[in-house]
Amino acid sequence: MIVKNNYENPHVLHENTMPDRSYYIPASKRMDTLVEHREESDRFQLLNGMWRFQYYSSIYDLEEEFYLNEYDVSHFDTIPVPGAWQNFGYDSHQYTNIRYPFPFDPPYVPQDNPCGAYVMDFEYKRKADAPKTYLVFEGVDSCFYLWVNGTYIGYSQVTHSTSEFDLTEVLQDGKNRIAVLVLKWCDGSYLEDQDKFRMSGIIRDVYLLHRPKEGIFDYFIKTEYTEEKAVVTAEITYFDKTVPTIVSIMDHEGTVLSTKELIENHTCKTDAVFEISSPVLWNAENPYLYTIVFETADEVITDRVGIRKICIEDCVVKINDRPIVFHGVNRHDSDPVTGPVISIEQLKKDMMLMKQHNINAIRSSHYPNAPYFYQLCDEYGFYVVDEADNESHGPQEVYFADDSFENKSKRWNEAISDNPEYIEATVDRVQRCVIRDKNRPCVVIWSMGNECAHGCTTEEALKWTKDYDNSRLTHYESARYHSDKRKYDFSNIDLFSRMYPPFEEIDEYLENDPDKPFILIEYSHAMGNGPGDLEEHFQLFHENEIMCGGFVWEWCDHAIFKGEAADGRKIYRYGGDHGEVIHDGNFCMDGLVYPDRRPHTGLLEYKNVYRPVRVVSFDQENMLVTLKNYMDFTNTSDSLRFIWELHCDGVTVQTGELEGISMEPHQSAKIRIPYSIPEKGKTYLKISYFTAKGTELVPEGHALGFDEMFVENRDSRNQQAAATMKEFRNCLKKIKAEETNREVILQGEGFCYRLDKRTGLFTALEYNGVQQITRPMEVNIWRAPTDNDMYIKQEWMRAGYDRATVRAYETVVEQKEDCVVICSRMSMAADAVQRMLNLQTIWMIDGNGMISMEMKVERCPEFPMLPRFGIRMHLRKEMENVQYYGMGPMESYADKHRAASHNIYSASVKELHEDYIKPQENGSHYDCSFVRVEDENMGWSICSDQTFSFNASVYSQEELTEKKHNDELIPSGNTILCLDYAQSGIGSNSCGPDLLEKYRLEQKDFTFQMMLKPYFRG
């Protein structure tokens, strides 16, 4: 090898790197644009671009000294920096969650360790007032060796952190050459076992900083306040000695509030202390920032200051002395095209979507983001859990003779987290995170890492963190995993944090005199069609102040973009699609947004669950609603507009604006709304909340959520459905029934129906000479498993739900004057298992061809909850237009409908499909009174006195079950209409708790009723 084997030595983490410091960009003059436009600084030289690149599948294949200036690199390829080499055809993508993609043998990695040789030539001219030059890498995966002009400069690891080198002595005016050798794996890879696609290369910006010979090296801004004043202290550290410094602080409008002149002394440190009277405090709702400017003879550093405090009082987390609830989300750096390379524009797009969907907090899972991420969070207002680049999850999955979870949990920490060999590396990762981001007011919690288990390494990291910065809180969820060989130290952990606990476990903690606030650092696994338990978590967070909120897992689906299909759909691939042997399939497709940032319906659900104001009670008789302000710092009078509407059967009959509503944070107000109740019709009062003024990310008039209250009247049925049902048996047309051994044939004016006596279901529905169904009607209990059905689907399949069929034991036909009544005693069962359902079905068909169904169902309690229960019909593909009254327009389910509201909606069958990248159950609509499916000439209207769910799709549930990717789906050639008594809820059990009982379809018996009416349009 041409390099020393630092990459398998846990005690060689960095060679010749500068000490850790806070992030800033210097300039020769004051510049307030450096957050988003740091390239405008004359002291900043960006080296991003096309670099020469050569890939080697093994480090042993690299035998030539490519880093020498005289080495000819003309045969090298070119690759963009920053960039992950897998995105440009080198090596292959791999997604794994827990398991290491190499043998577990720390600190050793595979001998054939892939690597990439990078070379870049650049021009340099030494500045007289800034003669020192530093080279900064903001992120390299996984480790790298550096040469400049043929001279070895140093080595560094820790993928998502800054490595800075002093190049002053090796640079020359004119052309210079940087050479970098990046290795795919190093001993640090054992501490970087995060749930993500594993990609390699120089993944963040590379640049030079031109600095004066003497000046400021670092500073630590600390704030404290009382009601009258704030004290801002800048603890300044210089390179070798103090130099005269002018420090000024300005308000948000640029007015200078105070200036301090610091004189030279014989130490390397000094403080600038400011008092600000009547300070404006920073919080996520009002992210007020002051500006601080450090001026020395040859350099100016401009930064921003947020005055805020986070603390715990009486087991309650408070920011600026007010109880806080984190409405948060976990976020990886992930893009389907650029992978882990994320620009300012990409970050702003994420933040814009988050703000517009009522997210107020971000956990940087599971590593520090690029440093400008935190400056944007300061500016736009997000609370941040800043997490060290530390996850050693893999030891939980090594071979254990006793493979029980309890044993694995106790032994998880043995290899790394409780191994003194890794104290240095663990503490280093935490220090690099904390020291770099210490000046960012958005950071309110330091995280030691994720899923590493607990031991001496994290104990030391926690102790260092609390000693270095006691102004923020600490958390470490994985502290609960450790052996019982000794007593562990948890004294430096401020928050009790958990992932996906059952609600019963949370209740138990809250009821047993807890000594720490409770935070759900991950909850509501947003995989595929989900999550379905957001409302329950909201209630939990706001019912007990010890609960300080949580962070949904996670923000975006991780996938690799592979071009477009013939029909224009984007092709995305996940784990296992790149030849990986070790992978975790589509478990990376677990976000609130698709890879291209189109919102999932789960994000829409999140938005309305976490709306800023809610109706907490409704007094219909006195026309009073009680509103509560769930914001923590903002009065509603300044921030929101309130619009109310009264809807009857989907028609807006009254509307108005509620003016002058002033509620302080967490306070309530009773408001009278002067509506008039219609005599009949399904009526709802809807109150919507809009922004009263715009910001850069959220425009004025943006909808932030709504409440919908049912209004009772003399006849609260949907009147269109009621009128349809009233038509049944209200005609003089005749109907005739004819029986054979196999079927009942029903004939009337313009129709002929056939019912199979062996199943008790219709096999043909001919209306106006056109056959309406293309295959026999079915009793339907299966759904294409959602990602959150990941575990229960095994029981469903073991029970035979995916292959169950119906038989009828007897069918009795009764001819009446105005209808035919058919009674069938039926059951459902599957091969190799007993009956799962007994059914008593009564069909009534009148002379108009209207069909009434009553199905009494008795479920065998031996069987698990049903995925769904209903009727499935394969209609002609021309029946592609749908109108319904129910919850929409987005898909809605028993536990996932807070984003939807009651109205009349129209859509094509294709538009009703929610195109999840891994196909699954989708597009259902909950709490419907009627649905119509039609073509240009005729249609079917389905209604009931009891509300029902439906979905209509061009894809069968079998197709959705079978296919792995949405671009592989083949339309059935029919419109498949599912009419459901109910479906079990969605939940979040792909990683979260079991589906709550109230959302399970597991009643012992129930009755399903509906009416089907054929009609001509017009």
Side-chain angles (χ1 to χ4, degrees):
M1 290 192 305
I2 66 169
V3 293
K4 293 186 298 181
N5 190 359
N6 295 345
Y7 63 89
E8 291 182 323
N9 185 343
H11 301 292
V12 179
L13 306 176
H14 316 283
E15 278 189 342
N16 300 327
T17 55
M18 294 292 292
D20 297 328
R21 63 169 175 85
S22 60
Y23 168 76
Y24 57 84
I25 298 297
S28 64
K29 60 182 180 181
R30 175 182 169 183
M31 299 186 70
D32 294 341
T33 61
L34 299 184
V35 172
E36 297 186 35
H37 301 287
R38 57 189 185 178
E39 71 280 356
E40 294 179 356
S41 167
D42 57 348
R43 300 293 176 80
F44 177 93
Q45 184 175 344
L46 189 64
L47 299 180
N48 292 357
M50 299 304 294
W51 290 36
R52 289 288 185 173
F53 176 77
Q54 188 74 21
Y55 173 76
Y56 300 90
S57 58
S58 170
I59 192 171
Y60 288 97
D61 295 336
L62 175 57
E63 298 176 341
E64 297 179 306
E65 295 174 321
F66 77 97
Y67 49 80
L68 297 176
N69 275 13
E70 58 269 24
Y71 186 83
D72 182 7
V73 295
S74 61
H75 64 286
F76 276 27
D77 299 330
T78 58
I79 195 171
V81 169
W85 68 55
Q86 287 85 354
N87 286 341
F88 300 95
Y90 308 98
D91 197 5
S92 61
H93 293 96
Q94 182 169 23
Y95 164 64
T96 178
N97 174 20
I98 300 175
R99 294 171 294 172
Y100 290 116
F102 45 75
F104 183 72
D105 187 21
Y108 303 106
V109 295
Q111 289 177 306
D112 289 325
N113 191 357
C115 60
Y118 293 78
V119 175
M120 201 274 286
D121 295 330
F122 67 97
E123 293 293 322
Y124 169 78
K125 182 172 178 58
R126 193 177 304 272
K127 297 175 182 286
D129 57 350
K132 301 192 76 171
T133 301
Y134 299 86
L135 176 61
V136 177
F137 292 84
E138 288 191 340
V140 181
D141 194 331
S142 68
C143 69
F144 67 104
Y145 298 80
L146 171 66
W147 298 262
V148 175
N149 293 332
T151 300
Y152 176 71
I153 301 300
Y155 166 87
S156 193
Q157 58 176 265
V158 185
T159 293
H160 302 93
S161 70
T162 300
S163 298
E164 185 173 18
F165 301 89
D166 185 349
L167 302 189
T168 304
E169 300 302 320
V170 296
L171 290 179
Q172 57 195 21
D173 282 0
K175 182 179 177 181
N176 292 262
R177 171 168 287 188
I178 292 176
V180 181
L181 178 63
V182 178
L183 275 63
K184 182 174 183 177
W185 295 312
C186 68
D187 55 85
S189 300
Y190 286 97
L191 304 179
E192 294 179 7
D193 190 33
Q194 291 100 342
D195 175 8
K196 64 183 180 70
F197 268 98
R198 312 301 170 94
M199 300 190 208
S200 316
I202 302 173
I203 61 169
R204 288 183 180 166
D205 292 346
V206 184
Y207 51 87
L208 298 174
L209 293 179
H210 307 291
R211 309 289 306 274
K213 183 176 180 181
E214 293 294 344
I216 293 172
F217 174 70
D218 196 10
Y219 53 91
F220 192 169
I221 298 171
K222 299 179 179 180
T223 65
E224 53 187 327
Y225 69 88
T226 64
E227 289 185 6
E228 293 80 23
K229 67 178 182 179
V231 177
V232 177
T233 303
E235 299 176 352
I236 305 170
T237 303
Y238 296 84
F239 280 104
D240 297 313
K241 62 179 183 178
T242 59
V243 297
T245 306
I246 298 174
V247 186
S248 303
I249 194 161
M250 284 135 270
D251 65 16
H252 192 67
E253 288 70 38
T255 302
V256 177
L257 302 179
S258 183
T259 297
K260 302 291 182 182
E261 294 189 21
L262 308 178
I263 61 174
E264 187 173 352
N265 61 45
H266 298 293
T267 69
C268 291
K269 294 185 177 182
T270 190
D271 293 347
V273 181
F274 301 90
E275 289 189 0
I276 300 174
S277 58
S278 303
V280 181
L281 304 183
W282 183 96
N283 59 72
E285 295 167 19
N286 178 31
Y288 188 97
L289 294 170
Y290 294 85
T291 298
I292 191 167
V293 180
F294 302 89
E295 298 179 72
T296 59
D298 296 309
E299 185 177 75
V300 179
I301 297 170
T302 306
D303 207 340
R304 299 185 297 183
V305 177
I307 300 171
R308 63 105 187 93
K309 177 177 70 174
I310 182 167
C311 65
I312 296 172
E313 291 182 1
D314 299 324
C315 215
V316 175
V317 173
K318 293 184 176 181
I319 289 179
N320 301 342
D321 300 316
R322 296 190 183 182
I324 193 77
V325 174
F326 298 114
H327 300 162
V329 67
N330 286 272
R331 183 192 169 277
H332 270 285
D333 282 341
S334 175
D335 183 89
V337 176
T338 61
V341 181
I342 304 297
S343 67
I344 285 271
E345 291 72 26
Q346 289 166 302
L347 281 172
K348 287 181 70 173
K349 184 173 183 178
D350 278 356
M351 292 181 182
M352 178 185 70
L353 284 167
M354 290 178 187
K355 273 293 180 184
Q356 292 181 1
H357 290 83
N358 297 325
I359 291 167
N360 72 0
I362 305 170
R363 177 182 177 219
S364 68
S365 53
H366 299 293
Y367 40 78
N369 281 209
Y372 45 73
F373 163 82
Y374 302 89
Q375 292 180 315
L376 294 177
C377 289
D378 290 347
E379 180 176 347
Y380 297 129
F382 291 96
Y383 305 117
V384 174
V385 177
D386 201 4
E387 191 147 270
D389 196 348
N390 184 27
E391 179 168 344
S392 52
H393 206 168
Q396 189 190 40
E397 294 299 309
V398 302
Y399 180 81
F400 294 103
D402 177 359
D403 200 39
S404 67
F405 178 77
E406 181 181 7
N407 179 63
K408 290 197 295 184
S409 295
K410 287 183 177 180
R411 298 188 59 187
W412 180 359
N413 69 343
E414 292 176 345
I416 294 178
S417 63
D418 206 24
N419 183 346
E421 280 286 289
Y422 290 96
I423 290 176
E424 184 181 358
T426 301
V427 173
D428 172 67
R429 287 169 180 267
V430 171
Q431 289 173 335
R432 291 167 79 81
C433 170
V434 171
I435 294 174
R436 191 197 69 174
D437 299 334
K438 61 180 176 285
N439 292 325
R440 302 280 53 91
C442 65
V443 177
V444 293
I445 299 172
W446 298 120
S447 170
M448 300 302 101
N450 183 67
E451 294 176 322
C452 304
H454 190 45
C456 58
T457 60
T458 45
E459 287 173 332
E460 289 299 318
L462 283 158
K463 182 179 185 302
W464 177 88
T465 301
K466 293 303 284 186
D467 288 345
Y468 184 82
D469 177 23
N470 62 5
S471 70
R472 294 175 173 93
L473 306 183
T474 58
H475 106 93
Y476 183 54
E477 192 273 344
S478 209
R480 62 197 302 264
Y481 300 108
H482 53 78
S483 71
D484 51 12
K485 296 177 182 178
R486 68 176 177 90
K487 184 177 180 180
Y488 290 86
D489 181 9
F490 307 105
S491 62
N492 291 307
I493 301 175
D494 295 318
L495 301 169
F496 180 74
S497 57
R498 287 284 283 112
M499 298 180 181
Y500 316 107
F503 288 94
E504 298 80 7
E505 183 181 319
I506 299 173
D507 291 340
E508 183 180 355
Y509 179 84
L510 296 175
E511 292 166 2
N512 283 278
D513 194 23
D515 61 349
K516 288 181 170 67
F518 196 131
I519 189 169
L520 290 181
I521 208 66
E522 292 180 22
Y523 78 101
S524 281
H525 205 245
M527 197 173 179
N529 186 349
D533 51 13
L534 288 170
E535 176 66 19
E536 281 68 29
H537 281 101
F538 175 91
Q539 297 295 341
L540 180 72
F541 296 156
H542 288 276
E543 285 171 358
N544 192 315
E545 284 192 332
I546 293 174
M547 298 296 302
C548 61
F551 297 78
V552 167
W553 186 267
E554 65 161 306
W555 174 240
C556 71
D557 289 341
H558 301 213
I560 309 300
F561 177 64
K562 296 290 187 179
E564 291 188 353
D567 61 3
R569 275 189 296 192
K570 295 178 180 179
I571 300 173
Y572 292 111
R573 292 297 179 258
Y574 46 74
D577 292 331
H578 313 91
E580 308 108 304
V581 176
I582 300 292
H583 69 86
D584 286 289
N586 74 311
F587 207 65
C588 54
M589 307 296 292
D590 49 8
L592 290 169
V593 296
Y594 288 99
D596 62 0
R597 272 42 180 186
R598 287 176 296 119
H600 274 283
T601 55
L603 181 60
L604 305 180
E605 183 82 355
Y606 187 106
K607 174 182 176 178
N608 205 44
V609 166
Y610 288 102
R611 55 196 182 272
V613 172
R614 281 187 168 218
V615 173
V616 293
S617 70
F618 174 45
D619 178 354
Q620 176 178 322
E621 183 178 353
N622 294 302
M623 296 184 288
L624 291 174
V625 295
T626 302
L627 296 167
K628 182 174 179 179
N629 179 4
Y630 281 90
M631 294 183 285
D632 297 308
F633 297 95
T634 308
N635 188 299
T636 57
S637 64
D638 303 323
S639 57
L640 297 179
R641 289 183 60 204
F642 299 75
I643 304 296
W644 67 270
E645 300 168 293
L646 196 73
H647 298 274
C648 181
D649 286 345
V651 177
T652 303
V653 295
Q654 286 179 271
T655 187
E657 182 166 358
L658 304 177
E659 297 181 343
I661 297 181
S662 177
M663 290 183 288
E664 289 295 327
H666 303 173
Q667 298 302 305
S668 301
K670 285 189 176 182
I671 308 296
R672 187 176 185 277
I673 301 179
Y675 57 81
S676 300
I677 303 174
E679 284 192 9
K680 55 186 179 180
K682 205 158 195 177
T683 304
Y684 288 91
L685 174 64
K686 185 177 183 180
I687 303 177
S688 300
Y689 317 111
F690 300 89
T691 52
K693 51 190 176 184
T695 65
E696 185 174 347
L697 298 186
V698 185
E700 180 181 346
H702 175 74
L704 293 173
F706 64 88
D707 277 285
E708 186 183 61
M709 290 75 67
F710 178 65
V711 178
E712 295 183 358
N713 55 23
R714 184 171 58 82
D715 182 356
S716 294
R717 297 177 300 166
N718 177 276
Q719 294 303 294
Q720 294 186 57
T724 300
M725 289 183 285
K726 189 175 181 180
E727 293 178 34
F728 182 63
R729 300 176 71 175
N730 189 19
C731 69
L732 300 176
K733 296 177 182 178
K734 298 296 182 182
I735 178 171
K736 182 176 72 172
E738 178 185 342
E739 284 191 77
T740 70
N741 286 336
R742 298 171 63 100
E743 62 182 357
V744 180
I745 304 167
L746 301 148
Q747 288 188 310
E749 184 180 317
F751 70 90
C752 178
Y753 302 160
R754 293 175 181 268
L755 181 139
D756 190 333
K757 295 168 69 174
R758 299 169 303 167
T759 64
L761 301 169
F762 289 97
T763 58
L765 295 171
E766 182 183 314
Y767 184 71
N768 196 37
V770 178
Q771 185 54 248
Q772 302 294 312
I773 58 176
T774 62
R775 57 186 274 183
M777 183 184 287
E778 300 157 300
V779 174
N780 190 24
I781 63 171
W782 181 247
R783 72 181 183 197
T786 68
D787 289 318
N788 287 312
D789 293 333
M790 180 182 299
Y791 300 108
I792 189 63
K793 77 175 181 182
Q794 306 301 328
E795 283 301 298
W796 288 347
M797 296 173 79
R798 192 167 75 88
Y801 288 172
D802 57 330
R803 60 186 191 277
T805 56
V806 172
R807 69 158 292 170
Y809 300 98
E810 62 177 347
T811 297
V812 177
V813 181
E814 182 182 0
Q815 176 82 57
K816 294 193 174 184
E817 183 178 346
D818 58 352
C819 69
V820 173
V821 181
I822 304 172
C823 300
S824 293
R825 183 169 60 88
M826 304 150 62
S827 73
M828 286 197 82
D831 292 345
V833 297
Q834 72 275 34
R835 294 188 202 177
M836 53 193 69
L837 299 174
N838 290 311
L839 304 96
Q840 296 283 349
T841 303
I842 300 174
W843 299 100
M844 300 175 69
I845 306 93
D846 75 2
N848 281 328
M850 290 183 68
I851 303 169
S852 169
M853 183 204 77
E854 180 180 272
M855 192 172 281
K856 295 182 177 180
V857 183
E858 181 182 299
R859 185 182 68 87
C860 174
E862 190 79 16
F863 282 79
M865 68 179 182
L866 295 171
R868 70 176 348 137
F869 183 87
I871 294 293
R872 181 166 72 156
M873 301 169 66
H874 287 67
L875 303 175
R876 295 176 294 112
K877 66 179 180 180
E878 292 81 8
M879 307 282 278
E880 61 182 5
N881 300 309
V882 179
Q883 184 184 79
Y884 63 97
Y885 180 85
M887 302 204 77
M890 68 289 297
E891 63 188 3
S892 52
Y893 294 82
D895 61 343
K896 184 191 170 190
H897 61 261
R898 274 78 185 182
S901 61
H902 292 83
N903 214 321
I904 294 178
Y905 298 100
S906 298
S908 70
V909 171
K910 288 182 180 178
E911 289 170 338
L912 290 172
H913 175 73
E914 183 68 27
D915 201 30
Y916 293 108
I917 293 170
K918 182 182 183 300
Q920 55 198 276
E921 158 63 34
N922 71 87
S924 183
H925 290 277
Y926 177 68
D927 206 37
C928 292
S929 297
F930 73 79
V931 58
R932 295 192 181 112
V933 187
E934 59 189 21
D935 62 16
E936 291 182 352
N937 302 308
M938 64 184 71
W940 286 84
S941 180
I942 299 95
C943 55
S944 177
D945 271 334
Q946 59 178 200
T947 58
F948 58 92
S949 294
F950 87 93
N951 56 12
S953 179
V954 299
Y955 303 113
S956 69
Q957 58 205 36
E958 291 81 3
E959 178 74 0
L960 294 170
T961 300
E962 178 187 347
K963 294 298 170 63
K964 290 177 60 181
H965 306 95
N966 59 336
D967 59 277
E968 299 166 349
L969 291 172
I970 299 173
S972 66
N974 303 302
T975 288
I976 301 175
L977 178 64
C978 296
L979 303 166
D980 292 325
Y981 164 79
Q983 281 201 52
S984 282
I986 296 298
S988 66
N989 192 225
S990 50
C991 202
D994 290 341
L995 183 67
L996 292 172
E997 286 187 18
K998 63 182 177 180
Y999 297 127
R1000 301 176 193 170
L1001 182 49
E1002 57 184 5
Q1003 299 103 299
K1004 186 176 183 298
D1005 49 62
F1006 54 88
T1007 300
F1008 183 27
Q1009 296 174 320
M1010 66 176 182
M1011 184 113 26
L1012 298 90
K1013 173 193 173 183
Y1015 63 90
F1016 289 109
R1017 292 190 63 181

